[in-house]
């Protein structure tokens, strides 16, 4: 395998038998051969599903559903510029031991009486049903096994972009062997394990918070506070399959990057919109509204 490094985004990719002179992440031509660094082998690989056809069809469909207001330069982009990359990531799991407190609200109804005055100025008593909430304190302990947290160890594809392409079906994961990745581009592990561990931990704590909120009894709750201790942490280096589509559609604009999950075909990215197309779209809608009002007014 030969390693190439991008002078623009910093990604280092190893591959053989794949042809490219530009960086697959940022389309920079400043993509040069460099000596291969000694890299730890990943523990597991989530393999690519089938071939590039799946990615191509997903991308075509996705672009098709967004071209009405898309920048016209984008439609000239070639889907052949799709690149398959095994992206380095860490798979994290842990036991989360949480102590929490909250105020739990229970609703009840009450009948109350009130005085009204009728038209003649005479006052009388009426009744109505009102809903009230009673709060009681709740404290407890919650034990949760957090699994399948994936964070990017790539400099080419930051975690915020990889996380949009999640999830992967980890039941399809294989133990790493060099044969699994031969013929594919593979990025080197370029973020420190410690950095990825703390990113994983905060993703795990988010999961704990979501679970706690779902799990609260009563009709409503307030003042939920919790404190989590994690133990039995594991952090495994893995490779995940991603298709990247980078297109420079205007010289004065940042290239557009669309990321496709190489297992499920899920497409993520933002299509640049054309300001004048949006303006025409709004003008057409306003014209239809005006015409409708005119017609309705003419009928009465
Ligand atoms: Zn690059």
């Amino acid at each position: 395998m030969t390693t190439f490094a991008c002078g623009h985004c910093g990604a280092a990719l190893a591959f053989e038998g794949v042809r490219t002179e530009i960086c697959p992440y940022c389309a920079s031509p400043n993509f040069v051969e460099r000596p291969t660094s000694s890299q730890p082998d990943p523990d597991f690989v989530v393999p690519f599903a089938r071939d590039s056809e799946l990615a191509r069809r997903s991308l075509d469909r996705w672009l098709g559903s967004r071209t009405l207001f898309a920048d016209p330069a984008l439609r000239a982009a070639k889907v052949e510029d799709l690149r398959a990359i095994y992206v380095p990531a860490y798979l994290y799991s842990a036991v989360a031991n949480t102590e929490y407190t909250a105020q739990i609200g229970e609703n009840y109804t009450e009948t109350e009486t009130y005085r009204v005055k009728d038209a003649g100025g005479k006052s009388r008593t009426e009744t109505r049903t009102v809903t009230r909430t009673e709060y009681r304190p709740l404290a407890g302990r919650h034990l949760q096994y957090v699994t399948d947290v994936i964070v990017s160890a790539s400099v080419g594809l930051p975690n915020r972009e990889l996380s949009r392409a999640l999830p992967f079906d980890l039941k399809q994961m294989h133990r790493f062997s060099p044969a699994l990745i031969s013929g594919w581009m593979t990025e080197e592990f370029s973020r420190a394990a410690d950095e990825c561990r703390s990113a994983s931990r905060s993703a795990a704590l988010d999961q704990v918070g979501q679970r706690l909120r779902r799990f609260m009894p009563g009709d409503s709750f307030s003042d939920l506070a919790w404190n989590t201790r994690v133990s039995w942490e594991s952090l495994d280096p893995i490779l995940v399959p991603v298709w990247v589509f980078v297109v420079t559609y205007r010289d004065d604009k940042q290239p557009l990057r669309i990321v496709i999950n190489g297992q499920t075909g899920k497409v993520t990215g933002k299509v640049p919109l054309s300001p004048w197309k949006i303006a025409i779209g709004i003008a057409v809608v306003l014209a239809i509204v005006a015409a409708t009002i005119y017609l309705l007014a003419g009928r009465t």
Side-chain angles (χ1 to χ4, degrees):
M1 286 242 193
T2 320
T3 303
F4 287 81
C6 175
H8 181 70
C9 74
L13 291 112
F15 52 90
E16 217 152 70
V18 182
R19 278 168 51 131
T20 182
E21 285 88 42
I22 59 162
C23 172
Y25 283 126
C26 69
S28 164
N30 183 8
F31 195 52
V32 293
E33 194 171 339
R34 63 140 230 221
T36 304
S37 66
S38 65
Q39 283 276 314
D41 279 343
D43 290 345
F44 301 102
V45 179
V46 178
F48 274 96
R50 294 188 291 268
D51 50 16
S52 61
E53 264 322 295
L54 169 75
R56 241 170 265 266
R57 262 184 281 123
S58 307
L59 180 60
D60 272 340
R61 205 178 318 122
W62 189 82
L63 284 173
S65 67
R66 278 164 178 78
T67 44
L68 185 56
F69 292 115
D71 197 308
L74 186 65
R75 245 182 290 181
K78 297 190 306 285
V79 176
E80 296 78 74
D81 297 332
L82 262 174
R83 295 271 175 243
I85 307 170
Y86 273 117
V87 175
Y90 280 96
L91 176 63
Y92 174 92
S93 67
V95 173
N97 195 337
T98 304
E99 282 177 38
Y100 63 88
T101 56
Q103 297 291 323
I104 303 300
E106 303 280 8
N107 293 346
Y108 62 97
T109 54
E110 229 175 37
T111 306
E112 64 177 20
T113 58
Y114 60 106
R115 306 280 300 167
V116 285
K117 264 197 184 128
D118 63 18
K122 267 171 70 185
S123 114
R124 62 169 198 279
T125 302
E126 301 233 315
T127 62
R128 64 184 165 201
T129 310
V130 289
T131 302
R132 296 189 201 285
T133 306
E134 186 180 61
Y135 284 94
R136 62 187 168 82
L138 178 73
R141 184 182 282 269
H142 176 70
L143 199 67
Q144 184 184 342
Y145 190 46
V146 183
T147 55
D148 302 355
V149 175
I150 290 179
V151 299
S152 167
S154 154
V155 283
L157 196 71
N159 197 44
R160 114 186 88 75
E161 276 184 86
L162 180 64
S163 60
R164 279 190 224 119
L166 298 177
F168 291 99
D169 177 9
L170 299 177
K171 288 195 289 292
Q172 310 290 327
M173 199 160 68
H174 291 284
R175 192 154 277 287
F176 174 79
S177 83
L180 273 176
I181 59 163
S182 88
W184 298 90
M185 279 200 215
T186 307
E187 192 191 345
E188 292 184 348
F189 280 79
S190 33
R191 282 187 198 285
D194 278 346
E195 183 190 334
C196 294
R197 187 193 310 273
S198 53
S200 305
R201 228 176 249 162
S202 56
L205 293 184
D206 284 349
Q207 275 192 27
V208 170
Q210 285 165 19
R211 176 85 71 94
L212 274 181
R213 278 183 210 100
R214 279 203 303 271
F215 160 99
M216 285 294 117
D219 298 305
S220 59
F221 64 89
S222 68
D223 303 333
L224 175 63
W226 72 92
N227 185 11
T228 301
R229 263 187 314 109
V230 289
S231 51
W232 297 97
E233 283 182 312
S234 79
L235 192 71
D236 299 316
I238 64 170
L239 294 174
V240 292
V242 162
W243 291 93
V244 179
F245 178 64
V246 180
V247 50
T248 313
Y249 64 103
R250 268 174 208 279
D251 292 340
D252 58 334
K253 295 269 171 68
Q254 281 276 321
L256 163 76
R257 179 153 80 183
I258 295 171
V259 175
I260 305 171
N261 182 313
Q263 187 185 40
T264 63
K266 178 183 175 190
V267 185
T268 66
K270 268 203 186 106
V271 160
L273 302 178
S274 159
W276 62 265
K277 278 197 177 179
I278 295 173
I280 291 175
I282 292 171
V284 167
V285 170
L286 288 179
I288 292 170
V289 169
T292 311
I293 291 171
Y294 178 81
L295 288 175
L296 289 177
R299 217 180 270 169
T300 51

